[in-house]
Amino acid sequence: MYALNATHSQDLISWVESANQPETDFPIQNLPYCVFQTSDNPASIGIGIGDQILNLRACAEAGLLSPDFETVLQHVNLNPLMALPPVQQSQLRKRIVELLSQGSPEADKLASVALVPQTSVDFLLPCNIGDYSDFYASVFHATNVGSMFRPDNPLLPNYKHIPIGYHGRASSIVVSGTPIRRPVGQLTPAEPGTAPTREACKLFDYELEVGCFVGQGNQLGESVLIEDAESHMFGLTLLNDWSARDIQKWEYQPLGPFLAKSFASTISPWVVTMEALAPFRCAEFQRDAEDPRPLDYLASDTNSQFGGIDLQLEVYLLTEQMQQQGFEPQLLTRGSFTNLYWTFAQMLTHHSSNGCNLRPGDMLGSGTVSGQTRDSRGCMLELTWDGDQQNALPGSQRTPIKLPTGEERKFLADGDTVIFRGFCESNEHRRIGFGICLGKVLSATQAM
Ligand code: MN
């Protein structure tokens, strides 16, 4: 696990003025990676700093970085960089802090050859995501959703022993800003014994999640020990695991989610590194006294003490009417990543524990981040639900979300934009943010 070092110091300031503003997501202590392009520049790896991007390929070409990084920075995805051992990741971060710090002798040169305003670029996916697995790590989400789908048996007996997950779909992961088409699918028959219908999803939902990118991989047939799991984690991104609840209800048994999830998932363009997150590590979730202890392969002292991440997450909704009438996006949810029953180290360890090889750039989804209170529920399925098991899904008795235009939502409507934000803050350290993860819902098409 990364230790605190000089790159985390609150005293650091940058010659990039916007990075010193208190509200910025990207102070010099953060330095998240992205891949971007502009009309004049081919795709390049970059680093977020204030409202700018530092073009790392341009830095390498100008001879400002160690030749060790030249090859990985020629790529148009982060995968080869992600595969580097943590000690090298740290060296690169240290050098970038030197270059961007106030007083850097390279400031003028960088400002002219390597700095690009974020508003002038198109973001690409940060890496080739070979595989994506989605977990179910919030016990509050699992209990709420379980009680809707299985009123008699909300939390299955395996939940507190295994980080539950399924293999998601990597090909349909898109970068923030990409419009999301409402899917068409088979829905539960209106009457038992009759045929299902095939129509546009009516219960369209988002899921507030965090994605963890694998750094160094493991060989097929070998497993990652819990003590080493953090050294296989490169960084985190915001993840919206769009979900078609009505399609899900009909298709999910016995093998789990399929087309209700695979039509699209959105990630933020930014990857906040595990090293940047070092000041915000915290103890794992406090299990109830009567809960089972995890089996040995999922437990370590380091994971117990520092496996958690004190990361705040927010969901905002902006409808087309709100936009037309000049309203700001409305906050729907404020949640905390500390509510997860399982840590990413436990998820990664469990994933590889059968010898399954994880590769640089693979993504693990945390599962919907929901807390105990209503205002910390991470999807509409939970937010608008009143605990009435008989009206678990469409339910006339759902309590709609009220919006400033007088509109109401039980699930997402066409034209709605969903925006996630995330940030870490504490008194002792500079606040760092995750940028935004945004998607607008388009109407279903006949073409499907
Ligand atoms: Mn999910």
Side-chain angles (χ1 to χ4, degrees), residues 132 134-135 166 207 209 241 243 261 367-368:
Y132 157 44
D134 197 25
F135 285 84
Y166 70 97
E207 287 191 337
E209 300 200 21
D241 184 28
S243 296
K261 302 279 187 173
T368 306

Side-chain angles (χ1 to χ4, degrees), residues 36-44 53 55 116-117 120-123:
F36 70 98
Q37 63 188 10
T38 68
S39 44
D40 335 304
N41 284 298
S44 300
I53 296 171
N55 182 335
V116 190
S120 72
V121 310
D122 289 320
F123 289 104

